[in-house]
Amino acid sequence: MKRALLFFAAATILLAQSNPDWDREFPAFKIAGNLYYVGTADLAVYLVHTPRGNILINTDFPQDVPLIKKSIEQLGFKYSDTKIILISHAHGDHDAATGIVEKETGAKVMIMAQDVPEEESTARGRPGAHVDRVLHDGSVVALGGSKLVAHLTPGHTKGCTTWTMPVRDGGRVLNAVIVGSPNVNAGYILVGNKNYPTIAEDYVKTFAVLKSLPCDLFLGAHGGYFGLKEKYAKMKAGAANPFIDPDGYKAYVAEREQTFRKEWERQKEHPGSPAP
Ligand SMILES: [Zn+2]
């Protein structure tokens, strides 16, 4: 009985968190310069193309790998040219297939130190990847003339990472920001969290970091953060690059911070009551 209830609770959480766009196909496209979108309709995967091979940010769920491969090939690139795998954070919707992509391509997996145990875990739904390089706040990942910086933006996970990269696009350089996640998920405990005592302070630090980053290209781990579908439609219609959205980035970070602070205040008043 207890087992059945636990199973039911776990299934309910999974259902509550899933979204029909997670596994839905989405056109592959160039965002700017050598930065491409190869993810699903919501689970963002980015490809950085260089003369030395490609960097992939996020791998999504195992069932999404065929879509990612198809997207890479539609752009004229080779899945087997994947040299480095990075992630936004160690949750299954972004990294469950990391071990699979690592095995299939021989790419090096580079992960923020605090998310390494989750990345190497072989528990159900975890990727069981071998981490080749442990990253820290400010670590640089370089390949074929492209340079990405890993910013530790913890809270959502202990090693949640926001990636930045200068993208050369025509005659200009655009600062891309790929937000790791500023979100307080259902069930998260911000006050008196025994497994993660500094969680609330970590979110506070994350918002300070996000506010400090210069941003032209506003991107993130989920398409929903930055309006992927709407912006892609505008791009198709011939608008000036809609992903260049510094104001949208600032507004998003401000709104997410307010939402976090409101929930933190609520939990201070009702200790032991997790996020709805
Ligand atoms: Zn997550």
Side-chain angles (χ1 to χ4, degrees):
M1 181 62 188
K2 206 174 170 192
R3 237 191 143 86
L5 268 175
L6 271 174
F7 175 77
F8 179 74
T12 309
I13 288 165
L14 280 174
L15 279 174
Q17 290 181 342
S18 72
N19 165 330
D21 278 344
W22 279 13
D23 299 325
R24 188 173 288 154
E25 193 170 352
F26 197 78
F29 69 98
K30 175 178 169 164
I31 299 166
N34 64 337
L35 179 61
Y36 296 83
Y37 188 87
V38 295
T40 71
D42 184 62
L43 301 180
V45 180
Y46 300 93
L47 181 142
V48 178
H49 174 62
T50 92
R52 290 278 176 97
N54 305 323
I55 300 169
L56 215 53
I57 304 173
N58 296 327
T59 59
D60 300 355
F61 291 112
Q63 69 265 25
D64 302 319
V65 173
L67 292 180
I68 296 169
K69 278 187 200 171
K70 192 174 158 189
S71 288
I72 293 172
E73 269 139 39
Q74 275 176 350
L75 291 168
F77 304 134
K78 281 190 191 145
Y79 176 64
S80 59
D81 281 343
T82 307
K83 302 294 181 200
I84 296 172
I85 300 168
L86 308 173
I87 63 164
S88 292
H89 61 263
H91 278 163
D93 46 343
H94 312 294
D95 77 344
T98 297
I100 294 169
V101 178
E102 179 180 37
K103 274 202 196 85
E104 288 182 347
T105 64
K108 302 280 182 227
V109 173
M110 305 184 185
I111 304 290
M112 192 64 82
Q114 295 86 337
D115 270 0
V116 166
E118 281 295 312
E119 204 60 24
E120 296 199 320
S121 166
T122 52
R124 198 159 168 262
R126 292 281 76 228
H130 167 74
V131 174
D132 297 282
R133 182 180 164 201
V134 177
L135 305 174
H136 303 279
D137 187 30
S139 288
V140 173
V141 171
L143 184 74
S146 286
K147 261 189 194 174
L148 288 107
V149 178
H151 300 269
L152 178 64
T153 48
H156 185 81
T157 67
K158 291 175 184 172
C160 185
T161 307
T162 292
W163 288 100
T164 61
M165 175 189 165
V167 179
R168 253 166 254 120
D169 185 66
R172 56 191 177 171
V173 176
L174 300 168
N175 293 305
V177 178
I178 303 172
V179 177
S181 177
N183 298 320
V184 178
N185 279 9
Y188 275 30
I189 295 168
L190 299 174
V191 176
N193 186 327
K194 287 194 188 77
N195 295 321
Y196 191 174
T198 61
I199 185 167
E201 291 75 14
D202 278 2
Y203 275 104
V204 171
K205 275 188 230 163
T206 286
F207 287 109
V209 171
L210 293 178
K211 285 187 276 189
S212 77
L213 298 174
C215 175
D216 301 305
L217 291 167
F218 167 30
L219 303 163
H222 286 272
Y225 295 2
F226 57 93
L228 167 72
K229 289 198 275 187
E230 298 77 8
K231 285 177 176 166
Y232 177 75
K234 278 188 193 163
M235 200 180 211
K236 282 292 269 186
N241 194 333
F243 296 94
I244 302 177
D245 186 12
D247 293 340
Y249 174 74
K250 280 189 204 115
Y252 173 77
V253 172
E255 188 280 328
R256 291 289 82 198
E257 181 171 22
Q258 252 184 6
T259 300
F260 155 73
R261 288 194 181 270
K262 225 170 117 186
E263 176 58 18
W264 191 17
E265 289 309 314
R266 191 195 66 82
Q267 290 198 22
K268 281 180 195 165
E269 280 169 35
H270 306 276
S273 154

